[in-house]
Amino acid sequence: SSGINAEWPLRPGEDPKWRVRLAIIEHMPLLAEQLGVEFFDEKLNSLCMSWLVDGVFAIRSAATSNLKKLVSIFGLEWAQNTVITKVLSMARDPNYLHRMTTLFAINVLAEVCPPDVISKFMVPVISNLAADAVPNVRFNVAKTMALIVPSLDAQTVEFQIKPCLSKLYDDEDMDVKYFAHEALVLCH
């Protein structure tokens, strides 16, 4: 027996006090490991995904960090079937903070995903966000590209990453321009 009542309603994860939510988030990988994938997917996955769109940055950030730990516990196939598509769909969210969380999540997931998954699923989403109306999203696109370039094959870098970064380098926003330049340097 897991020692946890399977009927536990998990209300503390929705606690209005963000520090309580943060403490719960920090224990989620341990719970996931102890309870297994089936229990996690049935009882905890939607709660973990909801934290990615929390109103408090510290919660979104901790939830993003958890993704890497969960993928390490449950594996890449689980991630592709449950997490990656949900995270990437947040790129279309009207709230720019949620679009930025998509990029932060990609940064973390790229550390545990093979290059083909990054190229096939993540690069198109990142590239689309390069045209975002919000400069903070655009410069985070450049920062994300800088992080993933070492994981990508030369063809992807040459034909997808570099053209996108070149457009960002021509952006009117100085921060976007700066981070695009920093990322372009890594492409050579």
Side-chain angles (χ1 to χ4, degrees):
S1 169
S2 66
I4 292 181
N5 181 350
E7 299 304 314
W8 181 43
L10 295 177
R11 296 283 180 240
E14 299 163 6
D15 194 292
K17 294 178 182 71
W18 69 268
R19 284 182 175 84
V20 173
R21 292 194 309 276
L22 186 61
I24 293 168
I25 290 169
E26 289 169 351
H27 288 89
M28 199 54 68
L30 179 62
L31 279 172
E33 202 166 30
Q34 296 298 312
L35 301 172
V37 69
E38 190 176 310
F39 183 93
F40 181 84
D41 281 344
E42 186 181 323
K43 302 281 185 186
L44 303 174
N45 192 358
S46 61
L47 183 62
C48 286
M49 295 308 292
S50 74
W51 287 326
L52 291 170
V53 294
D54 194 275
V56 177
F57 175 77
I59 301 299
R60 294 191 308 272
S61 180
T64 299
S65 296
N66 265 359
L67 293 177
K68 179 181 174 185
K69 295 170 189 164
L70 293 171
V71 173
S72 296
I73 294 165
F74 294 141
L76 183 61
E77 186 178 336
W78 172 84
Q80 287 179 283
N81 293 333
T82 24
V83 174
I84 293 174
T85 51
K86 289 178 185 175
V87 165
L88 297 180
S89 72
M90 289 171 42
R92 296 183 302 272
D93 195 291
N95 185 328
Y96 86 97
L97 295 172
H98 300 167
R99 297 192 303 275
M100 286 182 40
T101 299
T102 299
L103 293 168
F104 301 151
I106 288 171
N107 295 346
V108 169
L109 289 169
E111 294 178 31
V112 291
C113 289
D116 63 311
V117 171
I118 299 168
S119 295
K120 185 177 178 181
F121 300 106
M122 298 179 189
V123 169
V125 171
I126 300 165
S127 298
N128 286 341
L129 286 171
D132 200 277
V134 179
N136 282 17
V137 174
R138 295 194 307 273
F139 80 65
N140 275 290
V141 164
K143 289 168 82 172
T144 295
M145 287 184 168
L147 281 171
I148 66 169
V149 159
S151 303
L152 300 173
D153 62 271
Q155 190 171 349
T156 302
V157 172
E158 189 63 35
F159 297 109
Q160 294 181 50
I161 301 298
K162 278 182 163 181
C164 186
L165 287 170
S166 294
K167 285 182 189 171
L168 289 173
Y169 184 70
D170 293 334
D171 199 280
E172 72 274 358
D173 185 274
M174 295 310 290
D175 291 328
V176 175
K177 204 183 261 298
Y178 171 80
F179 287 109
H181 176 323
E182 293 289 304
L184 277 166
V185 168
L186 296 173
C187 292
H188 297 291

